[in-house]
Amino acid sequence: MKVLIVEDDDAMASALDAAVVSAGHTSSRVSRGADALLEHRRFEVILLDLGLPDMDGLEVLRKLRQVTPVPILILTARDDERSVVLGLRSGADDYLVKPVKLVELLARIEAVTRRTGRASDTRQRSIVLGELEVDLERRVAVLGQQALPLTPTEFDLLALLAGHAGSVVTREQILDALWGDAFVASSRSLDVHLTGLRSKLQLPGFIINVRGVGYRVEADPA
């Protein structure tokens, strides 16, 4: 597994890295919350300290939970019950109080990844919604018998929405997936690509704007 360590203390980060590597995983470390929000997509597990220099770890946790389902384990010196409950309710999969026993840490990582079903080899190759087929391997979208002339970003946007057909995909999730930054990237860019995609699909009512939240495509288009 690829583990992201979000920790500003050098000694603690080194110990965590050594433990993760000793278990056969790979790790990378960042010391700021802002960096975690930019780097998280490459990792399968996140170890998050709450006492970060640029922003509170709970704020980082909430923002990560808006854009990623990967397991997040909090590592912190805050051991009061309120902090534990708040962390878990904010989306953490587990909560460990420093100093952390490294054997326990590795066991907790294995436990949360099993719970969240990390080991899934069933990658989806195509998505079919009515007459629309999105071929994820060849990166081609076909409507009826006609291949749509989509730009790479338009295809990625369609694949993301179609892959969550019937559910709302938030603007933050889209910005994070397509531009790599849910909280800085320009929303205007998304609007332009969405307009282009709708124009090429020519399927009125297929991509629904959920006001103030994001977008949804119909799971069973007429």
Side-chain angles (χ1 to χ4, degrees), residues 12 16 74-76 96-105:
M12 176 60 70
L16 293 173
I74 288 177
L75 305 178
T76 182
L96 291 93
V97 177
K98 297 177 181 177
V100 178
K101 294 180 180 178
L102 299 182
V103 172
E104 180 184 1
L105 170 64

Side-chain angles (χ1 to χ4, degrees), residues 10-222:
D10 292 339
M12 176 60 70
S14 295
L16 293 173
D17 175 75
V20 168
V21 172
S22 72
H25 309 306
T26 61
S27 74
S28 182
R29 178 253 183 139
V30 297
S31 58
R32 302 189 315 139
D35 295 328
L37 296 175
L38 290 173
E39 298 292 332
H40 71 87
R41 288 173 309 284
R42 300 186 291 113
F43 299 92
E44 297 162 279
V45 176
I46 298 172
L47 305 181
L48 176 64
D49 180 31
L50 294 186
L52 300 173
D54 61 330
M55 58 199 303
D56 188 79
L58 288 175
E59 181 184 356
V60 179
L61 172 62
R62 293 186 192 101
K63 288 186 173 182
L64 285 171
R65 272 293 167 251
Q66 292 181 45
V67 295
T68 180
V70 303
I72 300 175
L73 290 83
I74 288 177
L75 305 178
T76 182
R78 303 178 195 174
D79 61 353
D80 59 287
E81 184 177 352
R82 180 178 179 277
S83 293
V84 174
V85 172
L86 192 56
L88 294 173
R89 285 182 175 175
S90 296
D93 293 279
D94 210 338
Y95 193 111
L96 291 93
V97 177
K98 297 177 181 177
V100 178
K101 294 180 180 178
L102 299 182
V103 172
E104 180 184 1
L105 170 64
L106 295 175
R108 297 284 190 96
I109 291 175
E110 291 177 7
V112 297
T113 52
R114 281 199 304 270
R115 279 206 311 267
T116 55
R118 182 190 65 84
S120 174
D121 297 324
T122 57
R123 282 184 57 192
Q124 195 171 14
R125 292 179 172 82
S126 67
I127 303 165
V128 179
L129 298 172
E131 294 189 348
L132 175 67
E133 179 177 1
V134 183
D135 188 321
L136 301 176
E137 291 191 333
R138 295 192 300 129
R139 292 184 59 83
V140 174
V142 177
L143 183 60
Q145 301 296 318
Q146 179 100 23
L148 300 174
L150 302 180
T151 67
T153 301
E154 288 169 351
F155 178 86
D156 290 338
L157 178 56
L158 176 60
L160 179 62
L161 294 173
H164 294 81
S167 301
V168 176
V169 182
T170 68
R171 290 182 70 88
E172 289 82 6
Q173 287 173 320
I174 296 171
L175 291 169
D176 184 73
L178 271 60
W179 285 279
D181 192 337
F183 305 98
V184 178
S186 170
S187 292
R188 179 60 183 155
S189 295
L190 172 56
D191 296 334
V192 171
H193 289 290
L194 189 64
T195 298
L197 176 59
R198 280 174 163 155
S199 175
K200 293 173 183 178
L201 284 171
Q202 290 292 300
L203 293 172
F206 179 63
I207 300 177
I208 299 169
N209 181 11
V210 181
R211 187 175 180 83
V213 181
Y215 304 91
R216 183 184 79 246
V217 302
E218 293 295 346
D220 298 303

